[in-house]
Amino acid sequence: GVRAVSDQAAGGHPAQDHLALGTFAAQTLLETDEKISRLRGRFFSYRNARLIATFHPAFLLRNSERKRDVWEDMKMIREEYGR
């Protein structure tokens, strides 16, 4: 399941934040049909953690003009970890 994967990725420790790459991941984890363009750029509560959604890398290969949006999402994450 999703929890097992995220715990394993965190070295056995529960992950504090999650990054959903793409529409399918974001919609599945957040249980919504909202478009990724509306989900990205903000944090959501996900179980006992936070989740931020952004565009999938394959989407960026086809739509390079959206790279700046992902960069802004990554800067948001960096700012949160710098607190």
Side-chain angles (χ1 to χ4, degrees), residues 22-59:
T23 301
F24 181 76
Q27 289 177 340
T28 301
L29 295 173
L30 295 172
E31 299 178 352
T32 183
D33 59 356
E34 195 78 37
K35 294 181 179 183
I36 187 68
S37 57
R38 296 194 59 142
L39 294 172
R40 60 154 296 277
R42 57 194 164 121
F43 286 94
F44 294 89
S45 178
Y46 176 71
R47 298 187 179 180
N48 293 326
R50 294 178 309 165
L51 180 141
I52 189 166
T54 196
F55 297 113
H56 191 279
F59 174 82

Side-chain angles (χ1 to χ4, degrees), residues 2-31:
V2 174
R3 178 69 186 233
V5 172
S6 62
D7 286 351
Q8 182 181 9
H13 299 97
Q16 293 181 5
D17 291 317
H18 301 276
L19 175 63
L21 296 176
T23 301
F24 181 76
Q27 289 177 340
T28 301
L29 295 173
L30 295 172
E31 299 178 352

